[in-house]
Every structure is written in C-alpha cells, then in structure tokens.
Amino acid sequence: MANKILFPENFIWGAATASYQIEGAWNKHGKGESTWDRFAHTPGKIRNNDTGDVANDHYRLWKKDIGLMKKIGLQAYRFSTSWPRILPAGRGKVNQKGLDFYNRLVDSLLEANITPFVTLNHWDMPQKLEDEGGWPLRSTAEAFVEYTDVISRALGDRVKNWITHNEPAVVAWMGYSMGIHAPGLTDYKLGVRVAHHLLLSHGQAVPVIRRNSPNAEVGITLDISWKIPASNSRADMDMVREEDGKWFRWFADPLYGRGYPSDKVADLTKIGALPNGLDFVQPGDMDVIATPTDFLGLNYYSRTVYRSDNPDNDPQTLFPQPRTPEHWTEMGWEIYPDGLTGVLGRAYFNYQPRKLYITENGASYSTPPDEKGNVPDELRTNYLRTHFVAMHHAIQAGVPLAGYFLWSLMDNFEWSRGYSQRFGIVWVDYETQKRMLKDSAKWYRGVIKKNGF
Ligand code: FCB
C-alpha cells in the first residue's frame, strides 16, 4: 500500500442515506402512502416482514443525526426527499409540513457547513400514482417533473446539487420485471417502459431544476458493478455483454446521446419484452434524455463474475476469492477494489461526463458494540481504505472524480433484506434509537481531516 494518499484540494467527502430507509413516520403529518410502504406491508416481501414504518425515526431525530455528521466532519450529505411526503397523491396538492421538514433539514445542514446533495427519487414513489399505472405510464414522468418543480422551487435557493433518480435500472428491472422491489411486478414489457419514462423524466427535470436553482449542478446516479467473464469462452463473454447492457448501457447510452444499444434491443425483442418495438419512444424523446448534465453519479459495491457453464468454456477459468469476510461482505457481495478504478475509468473514458461522483460505496458487516462501548468494525475500515486507494488510482489516471459519498451514514432499512444488513458507519440500536460511532466512522473522520491517509 502506498505510504501517503492525498486527494485533490476540492475533493468532497460525504455520506449518503435515502428517505424510506431512515425517515420512518410513514403516515405522519400528511405524508401519502409510498410504493415501499405498500410493498413492505405485504407479508412475505421483506425478510422478517420488516418495514420502514419507524426505521431510524430520522423524521424526529434529524437534529441528532446532523450532530453525528458534524462529529464525523462530513463535508456533504446526500439524502433523498420523499415524493409522497411532499405530494401525497403524486401530483396536485402540496403537503406543506413535508416541505417544512426538508427546509429545516437543509437550513441546519448549511449551518453546520455540510453541503446538501438532494436525490429526488430514491424509489419511494406515491402509491396513488402506482395505482393509476405507475412508471409504465408516460404521465408518471409528467408527475415527476411537477414534483421536481415543487421541491426545487422550495429548496433551490440553498440546495445547489441535485440528483434526479437513484439507480433507474434497479427500479425498472428489480421493481417491475423481477418483482424483488416495489411495486413487485414481474414483466419485462413493463420494465422497458419504466426505464424509458424514468430516463425521459430525468431529461425533462434537468431544465426545471436549473430554472429554479440558479448555478445548480444536476446529475443522475447509476449503479455499476465490475463485470467479467469467468473464462474467455464465447458464452461467458456474451453473458457479460448481456448483463452490462441490461444494467448499465441501457441507461448510460441514451443519457449520453447514443440511443438504446442495438444489441440489447435485439436481446429484449428475443425475450418478448418489445412486442411493438420501441413504440413508447416519441419523436424528440432521445434528445430530451440526452440533455447535458453536470455530473454522473456512480454507485459501486462489488464485482460480478459470469459463468455460463457452457461446455465450450475455456479451461482457463477464473476462480473467485475465498468465501471469508475479508473477501465477501454479509450482502454476499465480493470485495473487489480494483473494480472501482475500473468502473470510473470506463464511465469517464467511454461517456465523457463533465465530472463524476461516487454517490454510494460501502460494506455490510453486522459487527456489534463491544463491552467497552466501541464498534470494532475493522473489516469495514479495510473495505473503505482499499476502495479509497482505488479511487485515487482513477484520479491519477485522469478521471475527474469530484467527491465520494459513503453508504451509509448509519445502519438502516436495507430494502428486501430489511434490517438484517448493516451498512452504517454509525451503529443504530433499533429498540432504543440510540446511535454510536463505529470505529470506521472515527477512521473516516481522520481521512476527511487530512484529505487522505
Ligand atoms: C444501493 C441502493 C442503496 C442501498 C445500497 C446498499 O443499490 O441505492 O439504497 O440499499 O444499494
């Protein structure tokens, strides 16, 4: 390991959360039901039937949570606003109490010298809109733009960094095609429409934010893993092409003006997902989607190795690392720091975004507090340290990486896995809502202070 790693002077060190994963207060002060409320309230959808009804009670404890951020020395905080808290029916009537909550949060962050990065859609969309047809409908994109207008008018004088959608691929594929996330549907025909309307609404929202929030920077966050074939057999390599196309290029290509990738159009046609071709694309849509943005956000966690078990597999096979906590987190995700250098280089050199942020990166380990009142999560610290080195390599190679948001500020509701996964650098006792800095948070504080290690 290098002796000294220093980051560029203006590099931003932050942490991230998302509304449904921490806020709780799911039906308080006029908030409307979200698709995640409905999904989590449906027995059998979430591990242990956990819900985000209370979660970290952040809606009540937000001041304390800003106190934690101050203790860690965070320079920026990425959080998401809950659409149904602001527009309970998805469009129309505004819930002032919801806006007040985010207004206070933003004011207090700024007072604490912490730059807010707001994500508009981190998945908890109004159930009312879903009942009307949800993201497969073009009109949902219009509703998203209305919501964007309301929230950017309310916060845009103070919030100068905006992310439209978090991981649209996960919404489209896991929510509407694989049934693992809300709203739990299982139809690829819906997924492709969802993807299009998410992308379209992103492109439509960008100028609205710019109008309401002068000098703001606007971007979108995509998830990306480092995908490689287990061997150089044609079947394994084709799996990588297929999966990378589905999860990344289907979104990145249109955002950067290349339209939908033709190999994937062929794949999706083959599985019957495009019975009428791209009939949902209207003239001008692809230009709107490609509206220039200020940055691209990437969420990186892991590597995926694709093994087709096809008989033409080359014997030169790549074996995964040993299944130990040093190599695999409790999510069952392989730890592969070099992949972070890889995805940053790939995204920058292929698509040329003006700049990039790592909007999420982190590790799930359930290490509990010890008798001395410490949380000795050195496995998480190791994960972070090796990924920071990887990030530094990318910067040295010329990638304009502007900042890093650790997932997550604190343990929280991990979607279909409920509370079984702890990603926080702050320990949360869900019985008492007590919070405690883990050792990794103390280490991160040092990194931020020195802008390196
Ligand atoms: C990402 C999500 C985030 C969190 C991490 C572990 O896909 O954006 O909310 O759940 O995974």
Side-chain angles (χ1 to χ4, degrees), residues 18 21 122-123 166-167 299 301 333 360 407 414-415 423:
Q21 295 179 277
H122 203 125
W123 309 348
N166 179 68
E167 303 188 352
N299 294 349
Y301 288 94
W333 291 351
E360 285 180 29
W407 186 270
E414 179 46 40
W415 309 114
F423 274 91

Side-chain angles (χ1 to χ4, degrees), residues 423-439:
F423 274 91
I425 51 171
V426 171
W427 173 268
V428 176
D429 178 329
Y430 295 110
E431 297 289 311
T432 61
Q433 289 298 344
K434 267 187 129 166
R435 280 88 153 122
M436 218 168 125
L437 298 200
K438 300 181 187 178
D439 286 357

